[in-house]
Amino acid sequence: AWFGDGPQTESSVREPVGSGVFTAETEIRLPEVPMNFHEILPGAEVLVVGRRNTEVWQKSVSVLSDPRVDGILLPGMRQVQSAPDQVGAGVFVLRGEDENKKELVGLVSGTLTLTDGAVTKHYTTVVGMKDIWRLVAHRRELDRRRPQVVREDVQ
């Protein structure tokens, strides 16, 4: 997780919640983001936000479709194609004109290249709310079970 002064690494056991989505029970409370559970459809504008080293990158793109693929596709993005560590970058919709009012609708899951004859298409793939909703439903009693940990290294 990234806080104001840089990354914080926490060890944890990761648990599958389904469809290739995992959760981890960390000792510290991690940053949160509002979620939007509406399905994003082809033509919708989304904002992809990732982090490469200490730099945040973002790109506004339109959701695409391909008859050969059942899932959410975005245009191929060099930020993801050149750096596999960008899997997990957030995919957001904006509410209104304020760029600070982002709602998570998916996570980058990888890249896809399809060739049909001489035509090759590159896509960025996204796992959407059809699968991510499991994170919200998973182990909701966690905060009630353990007291919040306060550590000097994370403020």
Side-chain angles (χ1 to χ4, degrees):
W2 278 81
F3 294 92
D5 60 347
Q8 175 69 31
T9 303
E10 292 291 314
S11 297
S12 179
V13 175
R14 59 180 205 162
E15 300 175 69
V17 294
S19 299
V21 178
F22 294 81
T23 187
E25 186 177 318
T26 58
E27 185 177 88
I28 62 172
R29 187 170 187 93
L30 298 175
E32 299 173 350
V33 62
M35 298 172 81
N36 180 320
F37 292 92
H38 292 99
E39 181 181 358
I40 49 175
L41 301 173
E45 286 291 316
V46 295
L47 181 67
V48 182
V49 181
R51 180 178 298 280
R52 186 87 180 128
N53 299 319
T54 60
E55 299 295 319
V56 174
W57 62 267
Q58 59 184 20
K59 185 168 183 165
S60 182
V61 296
S62 293
V63 177
L64 303 174
S65 67
D66 188 294
R68 300 169 286 183
V69 178
D70 179 26
I72 302 170
L73 298 174
L74 303 178
M77 291 185 281
R78 68 172 173 73
Q79 293 94 332
V80 176
Q81 291 173 329
S82 65
D85 65 346
Q86 295 305 298
V87 166
V91 179
F92 299 88
V93 291
L94 297 178
R95 289 292 160 229
E97 299 297 318
D98 187 352
E99 195 173 294
N100 293 321
K101 294 195 182 213
K102 297 186 280 278
E103 296 174 341
L104 184 74
V105 292
L107 299 170
V108 169
S109 59
T111 60
L112 175 66
T113 301
L114 297 175
T115 302
D116 187 10
V119 178
T120 300
K121 293 184 179 181
H122 300 279
Y123 296 108
T124 298
T125 58
V126 174
V127 60
M129 283 302 156
K130 184 169 75 173
D131 299 306
I132 295 179
W133 70 267
R134 291 173 171 87
L135 291 172
V136 177
H138 185 72
R139 297 182 67 159
R140 298 276 306 164
E141 77 284 359
L142 179 62
D143 286 337
R144 284 181 247 131
R145 211 178 48 200
R146 292 187 318 167
Q148 182 76 27
V149 174
V150 178
R151 293 186 350 200
E152 290 183 21
D153 64 329
V154 179
Q155 296 294 329

